[in-house]
Amino acid sequence: MGSIADIYADLETDVSEEEFREAVEEKVEQMGGLADEETAAMLLAHELNEGEVETIADIEPGMDEVKFIAKVMAIGDLKTFERDGEDEDGRVINVEAADETASVRLAFWDGQAVDIDDGMLSVGDVLRVKGRPKDGYNGLEVSVDKAEQDDDATIDVEPGDGSTVDALTMGQSDVTLRGLVLDTDSVRTFDRDDGSEGKVSNLTLGDETGRVRVTMWDDRADRATEIEAGTAVEVVDGYVRERDGALELHVGDDGAVDEIDEAVDFQPDADPIDGVELDQTVDIAGVVRSADPVRTFDRDDGSEGQVRNIRIQDATGDIRVALWGEKADKDIQPGDEVLAADVEIQDGWQDDLEASASWNSTIVVLGDGTGPAPTPEEQADDQHAGLSSFGDGEDSGGSDTGADSAAAAGADGTSTADGGTQAAEQVEFTGTVVQTGDPVVLDDGEQTMSVETGERVQLGQEVTVRGVVEDGRLDADDVF
């Protein structure tokens, strides 16, 4: 066991060595000779270190008190407020601090707040902090009891200013980032522990170096409904956090998301379609070869979900992409250039791979109808590849039967015994036109049918066709 001096040297405490030695003597007397000075010193060291955490990421709101070191990333404005039953106003100033693992908001009160406002603290200073953690409006917050500068400690994070997506690092605060809005989500509400209601929304931002999810809180959350995809914006006073292994840029009451009048370049870094594998989460981009109508379904909990399938092709291959929930409503047409980011590769129809775009995926239309149009043969192949599978929930997948396995009605209005079509047999099919050209594609709400006909039809028109089905297509003799 080391000497009392060695034990004290290993402590990170604001207690002087003289005070520590006096406390050791008192501890020996309290224990009635059951412990010598070194044992008493070890017990005191344990008591003094209680509540000390290695990193900010180790702090939890339920802790009574924590001690940690952090670098000052940004300093807010001094605010005054009325205290109940007191004549003198209270004062508070918020300081954003961080280490290599996370960021935290420090709340300094009254005299400390005034000192900071007078210039006693600067961005870049490293502090040893003792305080009480809690859940604040913008996440973790520590009400500071005591803070001292430590000129010898080093923390490898830097305040962000005019950053790019690839330069964002965990713990950054006061971040300014310009980018192109790629996608937006709806505003969601939630109840806080104190009974108040909070709001949150997301948008996806991209620049020439990559893309990042931006989370906006409370008064800033409505910006997701005010900004359209394709708009250039500047995020001001953002702070970086981690979620599910990825960095996010957060915007609270002190931040802003402002539209700007300048061009921002974004080039997707997509994975080749022919290289995707089952259970991967990937980014794919290419031209839309086909787009099915939106389908609705009932979940196990009684709610209604929706899904829409599109097929994307790049230089290496093509794949069906299932758009779930609100993403099914996106205006995507054949010929559009599309980025499907953070999509999960799943088993699809007939053991083919398909990509599932759920709530945390991003679907971006990069160009409207600028891609090469699919050939008639490709269009037919896409329609025959089947419709998207319905799951029990928005994020699940399965397989619909598709046109090839759907029962084709016979000339007398009945279905064939095996549920498939028979070559050289007259059949009749009624459906809505979902694709014009060669072939025409009809959808009756349960299946699609590719039809060869010289008759002119319009999208959305309901028609009945009669003819012979061969090789998966109906050669229409009659269209009415």
Side-chain angles (χ1 to χ4, degrees):
M1 185 178 298
S3 66
I4 295 177
D6 292 337
I7 296 171
Y8 178 80
D10 291 336
L11 286 175
E12 293 180 355
T13 178
D14 50 12
V15 176
S16 68
E17 184 173 354
E18 182 179 354
E19 292 173 321
F20 181 73
R21 288 183 177 275
E22 291 176 355
V24 169
E25 293 177 2
E26 291 178 3
K27 177 68 76 174
V28 171
E29 291 180 5
Q30 291 172 2
M31 299 187 68
L34 296 176
D36 58 19
E37 288 188 345
E38 290 181 349
T39 301
M42 294 293 290
L43 292 173
L44 279 173
H46 176 75
E47 293 174 5
L48 289 172
N49 283 330
E50 187 175 3
E52 190 160 352
V53 295
E54 293 290 332
T55 66
I56 293 176
D58 297 324
I59 301 174
E60 298 180 2
M63 293 177 171
D64 292 332
E65 184 181 76
V66 290
K67 301 172 187 176
F68 59 96
I69 62 172
K71 178 180 286 189
V72 175
M73 310 302 285
I75 301 173
D77 298 325
L78 181 68
K79 298 178 182 178
T80 61
F81 59 93
E82 295 182 0
R83 285 195 170 99
D84 293 338
E86 296 186 19
D87 296 332
E88 186 177 352
D89 288 341
R91 293 174 175 80
V92 64
I93 195 167
N94 292 320
V95 172
E96 296 292 335
D99 63 11
E100 294 86 350
T101 68
S103 61
V104 64
R105 173 166 288 187
L106 307 178
F108 291 85
W109 305 91
D110 299 326
Q112 288 181 319
V114 173
D115 289 342
I116 292 173
D117 190 54
D118 288 340
M120 297 294 291
L121 190 66
S122 301
V123 172
D125 288 346
V126 175
L127 301 178
R128 290 195 174 273
V129 179
K130 180 172 70 173
R132 291 158 284 122
K134 67 174 184 177
D135 271 327
Y137 284 124
N138 295 310
L140 181 65
E141 180 179 299
V142 172
S143 181
V144 178
D145 294 325
K146 188 172 183 179
E148 293 182 343
Q149 293 188 30
D150 188 335
D151 296 332
D152 297 326
T154 301
I155 296 180
D156 191 20
V157 293
E158 296 299 331
D161 184 15
S163 184
T164 58
V165 170
D166 69 345
L168 296 176
T169 59
M170 185 62 220
Q172 276 185 298
S173 296
D174 195 25
V175 174
T176 299
L177 176 68
R178 294 187 175 190
L180 190 69
V181 176
L182 305 179
D183 195 15
T184 61
D185 290 336
S186 58
V187 178
R188 304 177 299 282
T189 60
F190 60 93
D191 293 327
R192 292 192 172 90
D193 292 340
D194 62 3
S196 63
E197 183 179 77
K199 294 194 298 184
V200 63
S201 67
N202 300 100
L203 59 81
T204 303
L205 205 62
D207 66 9
E208 65 276 7
T209 69
R211 70 178 195 281
V212 66
R213 186 179 181 90
V214 179
T215 299
M216 298 168 290
W217 298 93
D218 298 322
D219 291 342
R220 301 295 174 263
D222 291 333
R223 293 297 283 152
T225 65
E226 301 166 353
I227 303 174
E228 296 182 354
T231 303
V233 300
E234 181 179 63
V235 176
V236 180
D237 198 11
Y239 52 99
V240 182
R241 291 198 171 169
E242 184 177 351
R243 180 182 180 187
D244 296 333
L247 295 182
E248 291 184 347
L249 185 59
H250 288 234
V251 182
D253 292 341
D254 295 331
V257 180
D258 299 323
E259 298 182 29
I260 57 175
D261 186 18
E262 71 175 60
V264 178
D265 183 40
F266 170 73
Q267 295 294 332
D269 184 16
D271 301 290
I273 289 177
D274 70 348
V276 302
E277 297 179 358
L278 188 65
D279 296 330
Q280 283 185 327
T281 298
V282 299
D283 299 346
I284 55 178
V287 177
V288 177
R289 287 177 46 174
S290 64
D292 292 344
V294 176
R295 299 297 189 93
T296 59
F297 59 92
D298 294 326
R299 299 189 182 93
D300 288 344
D301 61 5
S303 62
E304 185 178 79
Q306 64 178 16
V307 64
R308 184 190 187 199
N309 290 312
I310 62 175
R311 184 167 287 270
I312 297 178
Q313 177 180 356
D314 67 6
T316 69
D318 63 89
I319 191 170
R320 186 173 60 196
V321 181
L323 309 178
W324 298 93
E326 294 180 356
K327 290 178 173 57
D329 294 325
K330 282 188 171 290
D331 184 13
I332 298 175
Q333 304 298 329
D336 289 349
E337 295 181 28
V338 171
L339 167 67
D342 294 322
V343 292
E344 184 180 353
I345 304 302
Q346 300 178 345
D347 273 326
W349 188 70
Q350 290 187 337
D351 295 327
D352 195 12
L353 294 179
E354 72 174 27
S356 177
S358 55
W359 69 271
N360 57 345
S361 303
T362 300
I363 305 298
V364 184
V365 178
L366 301 171
D368 296 334
T370 58
T375 66
E377 291 76 13
E378 289 174 334
Q379 290 176 329
D381 289 343
D382 293 336
Q383 295 298 332
H384 294 171
L387 303 174
S388 174
S389 26
F390 294 162
D392 292 332
E394 193 170 290
D395 295 338
S396 62
S399 285
D400 198 3
T401 55
D404 287 342
S405 61
D412 59 357
T414 61
S415 300
T416 58
D418 61 359
T421 60
Q422 294 180 347
E425 180 182 359
Q426 284 280 332
V427 299
E428 185 175 290
F429 187 89
T430 300
T432 301
V433 177
V434 296
Q435 177 177 297
T436 60
D438 185 14
V440 171
V441 179
L442 305 181
D443 185 350
D444 70 353
E446 296 182 356
Q447 65 185 78
T448 59
M449 178 66 71
S450 296
V451 181
E452 292 184 357
T453 178
E455 296 289 333
R456 293 181 60 86
V457 295
Q458 296 179 340
L459 286 174
Q461 180 183 1
E462 182 173 318
V463 299
T464 299
V465 294
R466 184 184 294 128
V468 174
V469 176
E470 289 185 342
D471 298 326
R473 294 193 188 186
L474 189 151
D475 187 0
D477 296 324
D478 300 299
V479 178
F480 52 93

